[in-house]
Amino acid sequence: MKKYALIIFVCMNFLITSGAFAQQGQKVTVAEILGERKEYYFDNDELSNTPKGFFEAHTGSGKKGQWRVLKVQHSPSSDNVVVQTKTDKTAKRFPLLMVEYIDYKDAMVYVKFRAEGGEIDQAAGLVFRYKDNQNYYVLSANALKNNVHLYKVSNGQQKLLGEKNMPVSSNEWHLLKVVYDGKKIRCFFENAMVIEVLDDTFSSGGIGLWTKSDSYVLFDDLVLQENS
């Protein structure tokens, strides 16, 4: 009887949570539902401060980043977003904003972003399997160069794992998503898969946001779903 009760409980929770995902255009599996889920909308964070539960990191050269919560009109959820506000045109400058106390092996992660400025780049990125500021994966979309790239950063050096040249418009909200399970890494733009690779350099690690050079990009609705 206990076994049957557990099955019923899992199925009920799956149906309930699946509805919440469907409202945001996400497809889910039972494995995703059984893992930890975290959502960050920044609407309860203090303006002009770094959002709670995050820490700043930096890869490359140039000025370190300064991530702040700002209020803007027409954001995806309420009015608050998070932005890297310190401008610097150094080409190989990569400010990161990492979620605290996260070490996921397999997960689905997505964020909404809006590129609003940058002469050198207008790049938004999702960091995953972060070991430290010199070792991680990053999925990026660049509205100035119209591409989506997947990089491995190893000992501070970027290696391109996959790419897709495609329109990424400025001043519009977009969805960037990555799903990783073991060696398989699948990358999505607007819920359409654009890159799929196999790589197991990093097996687990943290999750966060990334940007490049002088990019001025708004981020909102960061969702993490661990696959257990």
Side-chain angles (χ1 to χ4, degrees), residues 28-107:
V28 296
T29 66
V30 173
E32 290 173 338
I33 293 301
L34 294 178
E36 181 180 56
R37 178 178 170 89
K38 292 180 177 290
E39 302 176 357
Y40 301 92
Y41 301 107
F42 311 112
D43 298 319
N44 295 321
D45 288 298
E46 293 185 11
L47 297 178
S48 301
N49 288 341
T50 304
K52 292 182 180 179
F54 289 79
F55 67 92
E56 296 175 345
H58 185 85
T59 304
S61 52
K63 297 178 183 177
K64 292 184 177 180
Q66 181 175 274
W67 295 82
R68 296 291 181 262
V69 176
L70 301 180
K71 186 174 183 177
V72 300
Q73 292 184 338
H74 310 303
S75 61
S77 59
S78 192
D79 297 322
N80 287 4
V81 299
V82 66
V83 187
Q84 197 291 117
T85 58
K86 187 173 289 186
T87 58
D88 184 341
K89 293 183 179 180
T90 303
K92 294 185 178 181
R93 171 182 181 255
F94 309 104
L96 288 74
L97 181 68
M98 304 302 303
V99 182
E100 293 179 341
Y101 312 121
I102 290 293
D103 187 9
Y104 289 170
K105 180 179 178 181
D106 301 318

Side-chain angles (χ1 to χ4, degrees), residues 107-110 126 128 139 150 176-180 185-188:
M108 181 278 294
V109 185
Y110 70 84
L126 277 174
F128 58 102
L139 170 64
L150 174 65
L176 192 62
K177 181 173 73 173
V178 61
V179 179
Y180 49 101
I185 302 172
R186 293 177 291 152
C187 306
F188 299 79

